Amino acid sequence: MDTKSNNRKAVVLLSGGLDSTTCLAIAGNEGYRCYSLAFSYGQRHQTELDMAAWQARRFGVIEHKVVNVDLAILGGSALTGHAQVPKEDPGASIPITYVPARNAVFLSIGLAWAESLGIVDLFIGVNELDFSGYPDCRTDFIQAFENMANLATRAGTQGRRFKLHTPLIHLTKSKIIQMGLKLGVDYAKTHSCYDPNHNGIACGLCPSCRLRKKGFAEAGLMDPIRYQE
């Protein structure tokens, strides 16, 4: 069956990063007409929100929303507070860049928007291989959230089953990049860095930058963004 002929719709969580943008491209390629959702959550910079808006226009989403949810007032993360962003590999521990329950919060808001639109498909670009130790990027969490979504909503209790799509969850960063390029993703208009300078230029040293650079290197490609180094 040609999925592109279907008139399906989906809500896609779009941070403006490499993974979420690839996820949006995949959803569109699978025949979904997309609504995209970004969050101003008290992060250190707004560059990723600019990239999310650009990508939403690029892929012709029906509507792009930015939701303000200030997680900085809760603390607990270097991404929303004054703690220094680490420039080394955190190893097996959960790093200080983890934002408490962030994906649970974002998915809950995405679920609410989807239900209000009559949509049952949600996409999120989590990855279990390059997940930096974040517990809310694992398959167990995704499965539990999907189950919760179908218990906690009117749509779910009335038989309209929500589906949480995670097309990147078992892919390496290099495979994600290669897939995105085939789907027309412009990675020059994505942002991954935890600690950019005031011009939005990536540091090149934080764990997220390292993962991104490693992915492009393993794909045999040049990363199109600028780095401070």
Side-chain angles (χ1 to χ4, degrees):
M1 180 175 62
D2 182 6
T3 58
K4 293 184 181 181
S5 66
N6 294 341
N7 192 30
R8 300 178 298 173
K9 295 178 181 178
V11 169
V12 181
L13 270 57
L14 181 64
S15 71
L18 185 155
D19 291 341
S20 70
T21 300
T22 307
C23 192
L24 175 63
I26 291 170
N29 186 64
E30 290 182 359
Y32 289 93
R33 298 175 62 211
C34 297
Y35 294 77
S36 56
L37 186 62
F39 295 89
S40 178
Y41 63 94
Q43 61 264 58
R44 288 170 172 264
H45 59 86
Q46 297 296 299
T47 305
E48 65 182 38
L49 295 178
D50 295 337
M51 296 298 101
W54 192 93
Q55 295 292 352
R57 292 191 297 271
R58 162 70 179 82
F59 285 99
V61 305
I62 299 170
E63 185 177 359
H64 177 69
K65 282 187 183 293
V66 179
V67 174
N68 295 305
V69 50
D70 189 3
L71 299 182
I73 64 173
L74 305 178
S77 174
L79 296 192
T80 59
H82 299 294
Q84 185 174 0
V85 172
K87 303 296 183 178
E88 68 281 345
D89 186 340
S93 62
I94 296 177
I96 195 172
T97 51
Y98 163 71
V99 180
R102 180 175 62 179
N103 281 347
V105 173
F106 290 176
L107 280 169
S108 294
I109 296 172
L111 174 64
W113 193 26
E115 186 175 28
S116 72
L117 292 168
I119 290 172
V120 294
D121 292 284
L122 292 90
F123 281 76
I124 182 172
V126 293
N127 183 274
E128 201 164 39
L129 296 182
D130 294 330
F131 75 133
S132 302
Y134 299 154
D136 55 358
C137 290
R138 299 173 301 155
T139 299
D140 287 349
F141 164 73
I142 295 299
Q143 291 174 342
F145 189 93
E146 183 179 285
N147 185 53
M148 182 279 296
N150 286 299
L151 292 171
T153 56
R154 179 172 60 187
T157 58
Q158 292 179 346
R160 298 196 70 225
R161 301 289 297 177
F162 286 97
K163 174 64 178 177
L164 188 49
H165 300 260
T166 57
L168 312 182
I169 199 160
H170 295 134
L171 298 181
T172 64
K173 193 70 74 179
S174 62
K175 292 293 186 184
I176 292 169
I177 292 166
Q178 290 168 338
M179 180 180 290
L181 289 173
K182 289 179 181 178
L183 297 176
V185 173
D186 182 354
Y187 286 116
K189 293 293 187 177
T190 61
H191 182 86
S192 304
C193 183
Y194 290 153
D195 193 27
N197 66 15
H198 65 280
N199 291 319
I201 300 174
C203 71
L205 298 173
C206 69
S208 186
C209 281
R210 291 177 186 274
L211 278 174
R212 180 184 173 116
K213 292 165 72 175
K214 179 173 177 283
F216 275 98
E218 290 179 350
L221 299 166
M222 182 72 70
D223 189 343
I225 70 166
R226 292 175 59 196
Y227 289 97
Q228 294 175 39
E229 62 184 347

